[in-house]
Amino acid sequence: MAMQPATMMAAHVHGPGDVRLDPIAVPLPGPGEVLVRVAACGICGSDLGYIAKGSLDGVHPLLHPLPIGHEFAGTVVAVGSGVDGVATGSRVAVNPDRAYIGGGGPDGAMAPYIRVGAAKMGDTLFPLPDHVSFADAALAEPLSVALHGLRMVCATAADSVAILGAGPIGLCTVALLHHMGARRIAIFDRVDSRLERARALGASLAVNVTTEPLSAALGRWHGAGNRFGAPFVGTDVFVDAAGSGPALAEAIGHAKKGARLAVIALHKAPLPIDLFRLMANEITLAGAIADDRPREFAEALAMIAENGAALAPLISHSYPFDCFAEALAMAADADKAAKVMLTFPEGAA
C-alpha cells in the first residue's frame, strides 16, 4: 500500500462566509485511533450553516479554524496502539459522534485523510461489504439522523406520515419509511425538483405548499375531522425536516389526538407553540439530535447493503475534491441539488 503524504489540503471555516482549503499535516493515529483515507464525503446542510455563520452556532466566534465534513467513508490505512479488531485495508463507514468529527472536534472529513478516535468496529467504524460503494456508504450518516428521528416518535409501517421539507434529511426519511413498508407517506416543500426525488424514493403524495396548503392536502390524503371545535387531519406522525416555524406551527395546529411530531431540523429562531392544542389533543412533540447512534448507523448501512440502488435519487451530484468550491455552490442550490458528494482519488493530498 502506498505511503501517505506528509501534508494535505483540508477544509476549514475561518469566519462568516469564509471557508478555505488549508495545508495541514496528515495526522498520525495515536492510542485508540486509526487513520482513514477518505474516499467520499457528503456535504451536509449543517456544513453550509457553519460556513454561513462562521462558527457552530453563529454566536460564539471561532478560537481557531473549524474543520468540517462528517458524512464519509474510506479505507483504514494506519492503526494506533490499543485498537483491536481493525486491520489496515478495511473499507469502513465512520460514525462521527464520538469525536465530534466535522462538528466542533479537531478533525473533519473534507480532507484526503482523517484521524478517527475511539476507533472500534460497531461503534465508530462499520465494515462495508465489497458491493457497497464509498459514496453510498457515506449516506449512512444522514440516513441514521432520519432513522433516529423516526425512532423518537415510534414510527411504524402502519402509520400515515407527513414530512415537512424535501431536503436531504427529508428525502432520507422517505427512503427509510418506504424501506420499512410504510405506504401513506406525504412530503411537502417549495421546490418541485425535490418533490420529484421524493416521489422516486417512495413518497405517495408530494405537494408544493405554494399550490396547496399542508393541512388541506393532508385532510384529503390522510382524512380529516373536528375535535373541540377545531379541525384536525388524520396524520399519525409528522417529521419536521424543514426548520420552518410556520410549517411546524401549522402541523401542530392541525394534529389529531395522539399525533407524534419529531423535530429533526435546525430551527434558527424560537417558535410560539399552541400549548392548548398540544395538551387537548395529547400530542407528543420530540426533538431528535443523532449524537449517539451506533445501532441506527448499523441499521442504515444494512439498508444500503440490501437495496442501495433504491437510494440513487439521494445523490444528485459528485465532484472531485479539487472542485470543492463548485461542489459547495451546487449543494447550496436547492432547485438542483439533493446530496452532493465529494470524492477523493487514491493518493490525493
Side-chain angles (χ1 to χ4, degrees):
M1 186 174 293
M3 181 177 296
Q4 58 263 20
T7 61
M8 64 180 182
M9 304 301 288
H12 293 86
V13 176
H14 287 259
D18 184 3
V19 60
R20 309 174 199 170
L21 294 182
D22 297 321
I24 65 170
V26 173
L28 297 175
E33 299 174 341
V34 300
L35 184 68
V36 171
R37 184 178 69 237
V38 180
C41 180
I43 299 175
C44 178
S46 61
D47 297 319
L48 299 177
Y50 300 154
I51 294 168
K53 293 180 291 190
S55 66
L56 290 172
D57 59 8
V59 176
H60 300 90
L62 293 174
L63 300 178
H64 49 75
L66 173 70
I68 55 174
H70 58 275
E71 303 177 357
F72 68 105
T75 303
V76 176
V77 293
V79 179
S81 63
V83 177
D84 298 321
V86 182
T88 58
S90 299
R91 302 172 74 250
V92 295
V94 181
N95 173 3
D97 296 341
R98 298 288 178 241
Y100 295 99
I101 291 172
D107 301 285
M110 290 186 189
Y113 295 88
I114 185 169
R115 173 179 51 201
V116 177
K120 181 181 178 183
M121 283 294 187
D123 185 29
T124 50
L125 304 174
F126 292 81
L128 302 182
D130 290 341
H131 72 277
V132 174
S133 72
F134 288 118
D136 283 352
L139 293 173
E141 199 283 335
L143 283 166
S144 61
V145 170
L147 181 56
H148 184 71
L150 292 173
R151 288 275 162 78
M152 291 297 295
V153 289
C154 302
T156 72
D159 286 323
S160 56
V161 184
I163 302 162
L164 315 182
I169 296 300
L171 294 175
C172 283
T173 306
V174 172
L176 286 162
L177 286 164
H178 194 263
H179 183 75
M180 289 164 51
R183 294 296 179 264
R184 293 186 295 162
I185 308 167
I187 190 164
F188 299 86
D189 203 283
R190 293 175 175 270
V191 179
D192 286 334
S193 59
R194 287 184 165 187
L195 295 168
E196 285 300 320
R197 290 185 185 277
R199 292 186 186 97
L201 288 163
S204 310
L205 178 71
V207 175
N208 190 317
V209 294
T210 65
T211 63
E212 183 179 19
L214 176 144
S215 54
L218 289 177
R220 66 179 173 82
W221 193 251
H222 292 161
N226 192 285
R227 176 175 165 83
F228 298 144
F232 66 81
V233 297
T235 306
D236 298 308
V237 170
F238 293 84
V239 177
D240 173 19
S244 164
L248 181 57
E250 185 176 3
I252 293 172
H254 289 83
K256 70 176 183 178
K257 182 180 180 182
R260 296 105 71 196
L261 287 82
V263 179
I264 306 176
L266 296 170
H267 280 260
K268 298 180 176 64
L271 171 68
I273 294 176
D274 186 343
L275 292 176
F276 174 79
R277 179 62 63 108
L278 197 76
M279 176 275 296
N281 281 1
E282 298 184 345
I283 298 166
T284 297
L285 180 62
I289 182 167
D291 62 354
D292 185 15
R293 53 181 151 160
R295 177 185 168 192
E296 288 132 331
F297 205 95
E299 290 182 29
L301 272 177
M303 172 187 167
I304 293 167
E306 180 182 339
N307 196 15
L311 301 175
L314 283 174
I315 300 177
S316 60
H317 298 83
S318 182
Y319 290 87
F321 187 50
D322 57 9
C323 295
F324 178 68
E326 293 94 325
L328 285 183
M330 181 56 69
D333 189 332
D335 189 52
K336 295 180 181 178
K339 178 57 63 184
V340 174
M341 200 68 63
L342 292 167
T343 60
F344 300 77
E346 186 170 348

